């Protein structure tokens, strides 16, 4: 059996094909996400931040970590979303010195609209039997190192 190290030196044809397909899925997802964001007059970064905040309020530093960018960039994005009434800043109940960014009701509505407009992967996945979707989910989780 090949070890992860030896497998990384000489990928087989199937592995190469899967990697290529994953790349195509990611590219198509990003393309559709950018189009969906533009449909709401948002940039991709604004849409990603709004989607994160629709799940829970977060401090700027954690937003920056999740978006893999500098906190100063997050501040500018939050400023623009706040000006549109999609995001608000509020004190963190656990530490009043920290400000949380939170989606407003309108922001959550826009975030839902973004998710609903992403049909590229959702529609083909819905056509797969549950067993295949579970297997795909589990394989992706293993690839990402997430057992849960």
């Amino acid at each position: 059996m090949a070890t992860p190290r030896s497998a990384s030196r000489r990928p087989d044809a199937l592995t190469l094909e899967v990697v290529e397909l994953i790349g195509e899925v990611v590219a198509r997802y990003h393309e559709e996400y950018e189009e969906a964001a533009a449909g709401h007059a948002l940039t991709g970064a604004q849409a990603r931040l709004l989607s994160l905040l629709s799940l829970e309020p977060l401090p700027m530093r954690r937003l920056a970590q999740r978006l893999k960018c500098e906190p100063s960039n997050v501040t500018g994005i939050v400023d623009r979303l706040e000006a549109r009434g999609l995001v608000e800043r509020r004190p963190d109940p656990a530490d009043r010195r920290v400000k949380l960014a939170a989606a407003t009701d309108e922001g959550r509505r826009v975030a839902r609209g973004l998710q609903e407009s992403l049909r590229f992967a959702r529609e083909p996945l819905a056509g797969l039997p549950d067993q295949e979707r579970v297997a795909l989910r589990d394989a992706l989780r293993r690839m990402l190192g997430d057992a849960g």
Side-chain angles (χ1 to χ4, degrees):
M1 187 163 148
T3 65
R5 177 171 282 159
S6 66
S8 68
R9 282 190 222 137
R10 291 189 138 176
D12 60 274
L14 177 59
T15 298
L16 290 173
E17 182 181 5
V18 170
V19 168
E20 183 67 27
L21 289 168
I22 289 171
E24 287 181 37
V25 167
V26 168
R28 286 181 60 186
Y29 176 83
H30 282 293
E31 182 180 315
E32 187 169 306
Y33 199 87
E34 292 290 329
E35 288 173 13
H40 292 276
L42 297 170
T43 65
Q46 289 170 337
R48 285 187 292 280
L49 188 143
L50 186 58
S51 292
L52 285 172
L53 293 180
S54 71
L55 301 173
E56 65 178 325
L58 292 168
M60 301 291 204
R61 189 163 304 283
R62 184 145 344 122
L63 277 169
Q65 290 168 344
R66 294 223 182 136
L67 293 173
K68 296 178 179 25
C69 67
E70 293 297 317
S72 59
N73 292 343
V74 169
T75 300
I77 296 169
V78 169
D79 287 345
R80 288 185 285 286
L81 292 173
E82 189 174 37
R84 290 187 51 192
L86 302 175
V87 168
E88 64 185 7
R89 287 177 169 92
R90 57 173 81 140
D92 184 341
D95 184 348
R96 303 210 34 100
R97 296 168 297 173
V98 174
K99 291 285 187 192
L100 298 177
T104 62
D105 289 341
E106 177 66 9
R108 283 187 292 281
R109 187 191 67 71
V110 169
R112 271 192 310 277
L114 280 164
Q115 289 303 315
E116 290 168 3
S117 66
L118 296 174
R119 290 187 172 83
F120 147 66
R122 187 178 64 228
E123 290 174 357
L125 282 171
L128 294 176
D130 285 350
Q131 181 180 358
E132 288 183 25
R133 286 186 289 152
V134 168
L136 178 58
R137 180 204 60 201
D138 293 349
L140 291 170
R141 283 182 174 171
R142 283 192 307 275
M143 283 181 69
L144 296 170
D146 178 14

